[in-house]
Amino acid sequence: MKLDGDVRRRGRPPVRSDEETTRIVLDAARHTFAVEGYAATSTEELARGAGISTKTLYRLFPGKAALFEAMCADRLERLLSAVDLQASDEVDIETGLRAALIACADLALDPEVVALQRMVLQQSATFPELAANFYNNGIARTAKALAGWLRLQVKRKRIAIDDADEVAGMLVGMVASAPQRAAIYGGKPLPSRKQIERRVQTCAALFLDGCRAKSS
């Protein structure tokens, strides 16, 4: 015979951990911010989208700005964790560079990342900390990863450069800046995989070989 207390215990929904709740909040926030924009989104709406109370939301995040920063960092962290900058001795420098630049382009030109960047630009005058956080958590980290790859190639005497950080910024700019601007300001579609690969091939050739005509 089942006791009423046993039935009630088995019928209670399982208690979610803070880690699981945070994941749900971040996923819901990414969708809500993308649809409504930062300024128009309230903490009540964010809590409702995640299916939690505002009290729980404030326990996990001190405010909307902190949640937005965590959401950007989380999304970029997941994308960055998938970036594989090939550094094998068996891979020639051109093949390795192309693979590294494609990995960076895939991150910089990811539709969600571009949508976040568009939103950050729209709100940067009112909320300048959003732009700084987005830069530090995404753009700067992408260039830093590429700079580390470049330093390894210098160490292996495959290339000769003085400032890996500066060169990495230039390369990321060559690969991604123009398509980003076209999408954000011109409403153009993001490049296809074939277009990205062609752009990367050109950038790699410019970096490794230059384009000055040889004197006859």
Side-chain angles (χ1 to χ4, degrees):
M1 179 178 178
K2 297 179 180 178
L3 299 176
D4 290 343
D6 293 334
V7 173
R8 282 197 296 272
R9 271 196 298 274
R10 281 196 293 271
R12 289 175 183 170
V15 177
R16 282 199 305 252
S17 67
D18 281 353
E19 183 179 356
E20 185 181 359
T21 302
T22 297
R23 169 64 52 208
I24 292 171
V25 171
L26 292 175
D27 288 341
R30 190 168 70 251
H31 172 75
T32 304
F33 281 131
V35 173
E36 302 293 337
Y38 181 82
T41 301
S42 66
T43 51
E44 290 77 11
E45 188 175 4
L46 290 167
R48 187 165 56 250
I52 60 174
S53 66
T54 53
K55 181 180 179 181
T56 299
L57 182 68
Y58 279 120
R59 182 171 62 80
L60 297 172
F61 302 97
K64 185 170 72 170
L67 174 53
F68 183 85
E69 179 182 355
M71 181 270 296
C72 285
D74 173 73
R75 181 56 183 153
L76 293 167
E77 183 67 44
R78 283 198 261 178
L79 288 169
L80 280 166
S81 66
V83 172
D84 179 21
L85 304 188
Q86 295 182 27
S88 172
D89 286 327
E90 299 175 359
V91 177
D92 65 86
I93 182 62
E94 185 170 3
T95 300
L97 179 60
R98 287 185 187 180
L101 292 180
I102 285 177
C104 293
D106 283 344
L107 174 61
L109 299 175
D110 178 82
E112 281 195 18
V113 172
V114 173
L116 285 173
Q117 187 168 353
R118 183 184 290 112
M119 181 168 52
V120 166
L121 288 171
Q122 291 170 345
Q123 306 293 337
S124 60
T126 307
F127 306 99
E129 71 279 3
L130 296 183
N133 289 332
F134 186 84
Y135 174 81
N136 291 327
N137 287 321
I139 300 171
R141 289 182 62 191
T142 305
K144 184 178 179 181
L146 181 58
W149 184 89
L150 290 170
R151 287 191 187 93
L152 186 57
Q153 307 313 310
V154 172
K155 185 177 180 180
R156 291 174 174 171
K157 302 186 184 305
R158 291 177 167 181
I159 57 174
I161 56 175
D162 294 325
D163 189 333
D165 292 299
E166 183 178 42
V167 172
M170 292 177 179
L171 285 170
V172 172
M174 269 205 300
V175 168
S177 290
Q180 277 181 341
R181 289 196 299 268
I184 292 172
Y185 299 111
K188 304 293 184 182
L190 288 168
S192 65
R193 165 57 56 173
K194 187 174 181 179
Q195 290 171 322
I196 289 175
E197 289 176 350
R198 186 165 59 243
R199 187 177 185 88
V200 162
Q201 182 177 354
T202 301
C203 291
L206 285 172
F207 175 67
L208 293 174
D209 303 322
C211 58
R212 180 179 297 179
K214 296 179 180 179
S215 56
S216 55

